[in-house]
Amino acid sequence: MTRQFWNGNMAAAQAVRQSRVEVIAAYPITPQTHTVEYLAQFVADGELDARMVKVESEHSALSACCGASIVGSRTFTASCSQGLQLMSEVMYFASGMRFPIVMAVANRTLSVPVNIWADHQDTLVNRDAGWIQIYTRSVQEIYDMMLVAFASAEDPRVNLPAIVAYDGFILSHASEPVTPLEQSVVDDFLPSPRATERPLMDPAKPQQFGEVLFPEWYPDFEYKKHSALVGAADVLTERFAALAELSGRRYDLVERDSDPGAKTVIFGIGSMMQTARHTAAKLREQGESVAVVNLRVFRPFPEQAVAKALQHAETVLVLDRDIGYGSAGMVYPDVVRALYHAEHRPTVLNFIVGLGGKDITEQTILRSLELAKDGYRGQSVFWPDARGPQEGIAPSAQR
Amino acid sequence: MGRERYQYFVERAKSTLTYDPGWSHDNPTGTWRTMRPIKTDAKCTSCDLCWLLCPEGSVSRGSYAIDYDYCKGCGICAHECRAGVIVMEREAG
Amino acid sequence: MSNAKLLTEVRLVGRGGQGVVTAGELLGAAALAGGANAQAIPTFGPERRGALSSCVVRVSPEEILLKHSVARPDILLCLDPTIWQVNDVRQGLADDATLIFNSNQSQESLRSALDERGFFASNGATVFVLDATAIALEQLGKPITNTAMLGAIAGATGLISLDALGACYRERFGPRAEVNLACARAAAERLTRLPSAA
C-alpha cells in the first residue's frame, strides 16, 4: 500500500480495522478519543464488521470487553490517564482470566494538577496488572505494534491482554508517514479469531468462570500467569521476525541504535528515544561515544536482552518519563536489576524528564548527559528539566 | 464580599495552585471578529430584537450601543434588524 | 550535521476553529506527496474557539526523528489577522525566516505593527502578506483561511506545489476540493512581498 499521512490515533484505528476486531468498548478521554471515533466511523461506514458497545465508564468498557472475550471475540479498547486508572481493577481480572484483549493507550499523565499531556505514569503504574506492555516511538510503530499485539496476545502460549502505548499528542495527534500492510497480509499475519484454543463460554451452556481459589492452589495459579507473561517474550520475538519478513521493518524486545561499544548509553521507552537518537547521532559526529538503546517491550521485562545490550557501557542513563514517588522512575529499577549480575557493571543513573508533556528536546538529552558526567555521587535520580533542583529547592528530595 | 475578604481567599487559593478566580468580564473576546456590526443612520424602531437576540449580551437596551469588547461579529443583530439599521462590515486586521 | 540544513520547520498559528490543525496535516501530506518526509505536530491546550492554536510541521528528505513541538521555524504562517498581536508567536524563529501574514491592512500600517512587535528585528526575514480572509469569504463564504494560506506557502516558498496541494485537497475534501483549491490558487497569485527594512 502507498504511504499514508496518519496521526497516531488513526494509525491505531486502521490497524484495529485491519485486524477485523469484533467487539469494541471504550470511553472517550483526551488524547485517546479520536481512536474510538475513527473506529465508530469505520463501523458506521461498513468498513469494519464490529459491535461498538456504548458504556458509561472505563470500568464498564473493560468489563464489556471481558464479556466479549470470554465467548471468543477479538476485542479492543482504548484509554489513558484517569480513565485507565478507573479500568485498573478490571485489568487484573482480564489478565487473570487470560483474555487476549488489546488496548491502545495514548499516554497521558495523572491528575492532579490537571494535565492532559504525555508521560508514561498511567501505563507504568499498571505495570503489574499482568498485561503485555509495548511502547512506541513513531506513528508507523503504533500501526505495526497494534498488529503484533493482537498476534501475540492471542497466541495459545500467551493468552494475555496487551497494551500498545504511545505518547499523547506527541504521537497520538502528530501526523507522520505510515506504510500500512495489505489486508490479505494482515489476515495471514494474525491468527483467525475463531481458531482460539482457550476455554470459551458457550452462552447456551452457562458456566462459571473466575471463581474463588483457596490458598493451597493460589500460588500455582499466579505462577502460571507469571510464566505465561515471561514466555510472551519469545512469542513477541517470533512475531517481530514475522512482521519484518512482511514489511521489512525490524523490531526487537530491546533495540540498539548503533555503536555496540559506546561508553555512554541512553536507555528508555517511548517517543523521546527518537529525539535521543537524533541527539546521539550528532554527538557521534563530534567524536563522542554515545549510543541509544530503546526498550520496546516493558512487560515482560527482557532482562537478558537488556543486560546484553548494555554489556559494554560504562554509564547508562535511564530516562524515565514518569516518577515512582518516593523512589525513582519506574523503568530504572528493572534496568538496575538486569545489570546487577553483569560482569562489568556500569554506573546506572536515572533521569526524570518530560513529565506532564514537557517537551523533551535535544537540550534535555544534553543536560542529562552533562549531569551524568560526574557519575554516582550518592545521588542516582536527577531531574534535568525541573526547576526545583536547579533553583536549590528541596535538594534532599533528589537523594 | 469585601475586598479584604476577597484578597484573603485569593492568597489562600494561590498556595494550592489555584489561580485567582477569573470571570469573562476580564477577558475581552471581541478581538478576533471577521465582521463588525455598524449602526447606520436608518431609523431604529426600538423593537429590542438586537438586544434580545445577541448571544453575547453585547447590545445595550435603549441606546442599542454595541460593546465591541465582547461582540464576536456573528451578525445575528444585523440579520434580525427589521429596520435595516445594523449592517456588517469587514473588520480591519 | 547535514540533517539540520535539510530540515525545514514551519509554524502555523491561528485561532481555535480556523483549521490550523487541518492546515498542518494538509501541509505535511502535500510535502509527502512531493516525495519528502514530513511530520505535523499540533500543540493543544484546553481547546477553546478563538484561543491560540498552533502546529509545527517538519519537512525533510531524511527520516525525521525529533519528537517535540519546540521548533526553530524557517516559515511562520499566520492564519489569523490579529493572533500575532495578542500572543508571542516568534519563539525560536530563524533569523532568515519567511513570514506569511493574513491581513487587509495597508502595507505601511502592517509594517509598523510588525516592527513594533520585533518581527523585523533581524532584518533577514522575508515577509509576505495577503488578504486570505477576503479570498475565503469570496470562495467559501466563510472566514476559514487555512486552505488559502497553504496556497500562499506554495507561492512564497516552493516547499510544496499547488499540484501536490490539489491532490491532498481532493483526498480530504472530496466535492469541496475544487473551491478550496481555488482559494489556494488565488492566495498564491495575490501574495505580495513586503519591502524589507528601509
Side-chain angles (χ1 to χ4, degrees):
Chain A
M1 269 177 86
T2 51
R3 275 204 310 180
Q4 308 289 317
F5 197 59
W6 284 341
N7 64 45
N9 282 332
M10 176 58 98
Q14 291 282 0
V16 170
R17 178 182 65 79
Q18 287 191 293
S19 300
R20 300 188 194 277
V21 155
E22 295 165 295
V23 176
I24 300 162
Y27 194 80
I29 180 168
T30 299
Q32 151 268 33
T33 308
H34 293 144
T35 307
V36 188
E37 286 178 353
Y38 294 141
L39 285 165
Q41 192 69 52
F42 294 151
V43 173
D45 293 347
E47 292 174 28
L48 173 63
D49 183 16
R51 171 87 179 269
M52 297 284 302
V53 185
K54 293 194 192 82
V55 287
E56 77 281 18
S57 77
E58 285 85 356
H59 190 281
S60 306
L62 191 50
S63 299
C65 289
C66 288
S69 193
I70 202 168
V71 293
S73 302
R74 182 166 288 170
T75 311
F76 173 80
T77 188
S79 193
C80 65
S81 189
Q82 311 303 118
L84 191 62
Q85 290 308 96
L86 189 52
M87 273 186 181
S88 187
E89 192 227 2
V90 192
M91 287 176 72
Y92 291 77
F93 183 85
S95 60
M97 292 291 287
R98 309 291 293 274
F99 292 145
I101 298 162
V102 171
M103 166 153 54
V105 178
N107 282 113
R108 161 181 160 185
T109 193
L110 297 171
S111 293
V112 65
V114 176
N115 180 298
I116 56 172
W117 294 276
D119 70 32
H120 303 137
Q121 200 79 9
D122 54 355
T123 43
L124 287 179
V125 295
N126 287 299
R127 68 189 165 175
D128 300 328
W131 289 51
I132 294 169
Q133 289 201 5
I134 308 175
Y135 287 82
T136 55
R137 301 175 299 182
S138 70
V139 176
Q140 177 72 64
E141 291 185 3
I142 297 170
Y143 174 85
D144 291 341
M145 289 307 117
M146 290 301 302
L147 301 179
V148 168
F150 278 111
S152 307
E154 290 177 9
D155 189 287
R157 292 165 288 175
V158 179
N159 268 341
L160 281 169
I163 282 173
V164 175
Y166 47 94
D167 293 350
F169 293 113
I170 211 79
L171 288 182
S172 71
H173 286 57
S175 297
E176 292 182 351
V178 178
T179 309
L181 299 174
E182 296 291 343
Q183 183 61 53
S184 59
V185 176
V186 175
D187 288 340
D188 288 343
F189 181 71
L190 295 179
S192 158
R194 294 278 159 256
T196 181
E197 292 173 30
R198 62 201 166 93
L200 300 177
M201 190 178 83
D202 177 358
K205 284 183 263 170
Q207 293 165 282
Q208 196 173 358
F209 288 80
E211 59 199 77
V212 69
L213 186 63
F214 290 101
E216 173 61 19
W217 286 99
Y218 202 81
D220 308 68
F221 184 91
E222 290 296 271
Y223 176 73
K224 287 189 80 170
K225 176 171 158 183
H226 171 71
S227 303
L229 188 51
V230 170
D234 292 337
V235 176
L236 284 158
T237 307
E238 280 175 27
R239 301 323 295 172
F240 288 146
L243 184 72
E245 198 115 314
L246 298 170
S247 69
R249 297 187 286 269
R250 306 203 167 273
Y251 299 101
D252 209 340
L253 302 169
V254 179
E255 291 152 0
R256 217 186 145 108
D257 181 33
S258 63
D259 192 3
K263 283 192 212 145
T264 305
V265 175
I266 303 167
F267 185 96
I269 57 175
S271 69
M272 63 182 172
M273 300 316 289
Q274 295 288 73
T275 306
R277 281 175 67 199
H278 180 95
T279 312
K282 273 189 173 176
L283 290 172
R284 278 198 299 275
E285 283 188 5
Q286 294 163 22
E288 295 204 33
S289 181
V290 184
V292 174
V293 172
N294 176 53
L295 182 63
R296 176 152 309 281
V297 179
F298 178 64
R299 284 289 179 271
F301 186 77
E303 185 183 340
Q304 300 300 331
V306 169
K308 187 159 178 274
L310 300 175
Q311 62 186 338
H312 300 299
E314 286 173 14
T315 307
V316 177
L317 289 80
V318 178
L319 304 187
D320 258 296
R321 199 169 197 167
D322 62 90
I323 174 64
Y325 304 113
S327 178
M330 288 180 261
V331 175
Y332 179 69
D334 279 315
V335 181
V336 174
R337 179 173 72 86
L339 292 171
Y340 185 79
H341 299 287
E343 207 174 322
H344 305 287
R345 197 191 298 163
T347 299
V348 191
L349 300 172
N350 193 199
F351 296 85
I352 310 300
V353 291
L355 299 187
K358 183 148 188 172
D359 271 305
I360 297 173
T361 64
E362 290 168 85
Q363 292 309 316
T364 317
I365 308 292
L366 292 173
R367 168 101 185 115
S368 303
L369 286 164
E370 192 61 39
L371 287 167
K373 283 226 161 83
D374 288 340
Y376 179 77
R377 298 272 174 90
Q379 177 181 347
S380 55
V381 184
F382 298 84
W383 293 65
D385 64 0
R387 286 186 186 86
Q390 272 85 326
E391 292 170 6
I393 301 167
S396 60
Q398 299 170 55
R399 307 273 168 210
Chain B
M1 187 160 51
R3 191 75 199 160
E4 218 170 279
R5 185 107 182 104
Y6 169 78
Q7 276 305 333
Y8 166 80
F9 278 113
V10 167
E11 290 309 315
R12 285 294 296 270
K14 274 180 185 165
S15 65
T16 49
L17 253 180
T18 302
Y19 298 103
D20 294 357
W23 54 324
S24 55
H25 204 273
D26 301 337
N27 194 13
T29 48
T31 57
W32 45 286
R33 273 185 305 271
T34 304
M35 306 298 280
R36 165 188 279 255
I38 302 284
K39 286 169 72 183
T40 63
D41 296 338
K43 191 77 179 159
C44 168
T45 62
S46 301
C47 71
D48 273 355
L49 273 179
C50 57
W51 165 76
L52 195 63
L53 296 171
C54 174
E56 295 297 322
S58 294
V59 180
S60 301
R61 193 173 194 181
S63 71
Y64 308 104
I66 295 160
D67 185 344
Y68 291 109
D69 278 351
Y70 303 101
C71 164
K72 289 178 176 168
C74 68
I76 289 175
C77 53
H79 186 264
E80 296 299 329
C81 182
R82 301 289 193 269
V85 176
I86 305 174
V87 295
M88 301 301 287
E89 285 178 8
R90 247 313 277 290
E91 191 74 43
Chain C
M1 192 175 169
S2 54
N3 196 359
K5 278 224 164 100
L6 297 169
L7 181 71
T8 304
E9 292 186 314
V10 187
R11 179 184 291 144
L12 299 91
V13 296
R15 294 179 185 271
Q18 290 178 335
V20 174
V21 176
T22 304
E25 288 172 4
L26 287 165
L27 176 58
L32 202 67
N37 272 306
Q39 175 197 53
I41 303 186
T43 51
F44 282 90
E47 286 82 348
R48 175 167 66 86
R49 209 172 173 84
L52 173 71
S53 169
S54 76
C55 183
V56 167
V57 177
R58 295 192 175 96
V59 178
S60 171
E62 296 178 350
E63 188 190 3
I64 299 163
L65 290 177
L66 292 173
K67 301 283 170 187
H68 57 74
S69 55
V70 179
R72 290 191 53 76
D74 305 286
I75 301 171
L76 175 71
L77 191 72
C78 292
L79 274 64
D80 181 82
T82 54
I83 191 72
W84 51 273
Q85 298 170 28
V86 287
N87 289 85
D88 185 8
V89 297
R90 294 178 305 137
Q91 306 100 319
L93 208 58
D95 287 342
D96 57 349
T98 300
L99 319 174
I100 307 174
F101 292 95
N102 167 23
S103 175
N104 64 353
Q105 290 185 54
S106 69
Q107 287 203 357
E108 295 72 44
S109 73
L110 177 65
R111 170 129 208 150
S112 71
L114 287 171
D115 264 339
E116 210 173 289
R117 285 165 184 84
F119 277 97
F120 279 105
S122 72
N123 287 333
T126 312
V127 181
F128 290 92
V129 59
L130 74 155
D131 188 358
T133 306
I135 295 171
L137 288 172
E138 280 164 27
Q139 300 286 345
L140 307 170
K142 281 184 281 188
I144 306 289
T145 56
N146 58 352
T147 50
M149 290 301 280
L150 290 179
I153 284 203
T157 70
L159 183 69
I160 51 168
S161 69
L162 280 172
D163 285 347
L165 210 49
C168 295
Y169 284 9
R170 272 175 214 110
E171 195 175 323
R172 178 100 179 199
F173 300 123
R176 298 285 295 161
E178 289 312 317
V179 65
N180 280 291
L181 192 53
C183 286
R185 284 205 191 92
E189 279 165 22
R190 293 190 212 171
L191 193 68
T192 53
R193 186 170 167 180
L194 219 57
S196 56

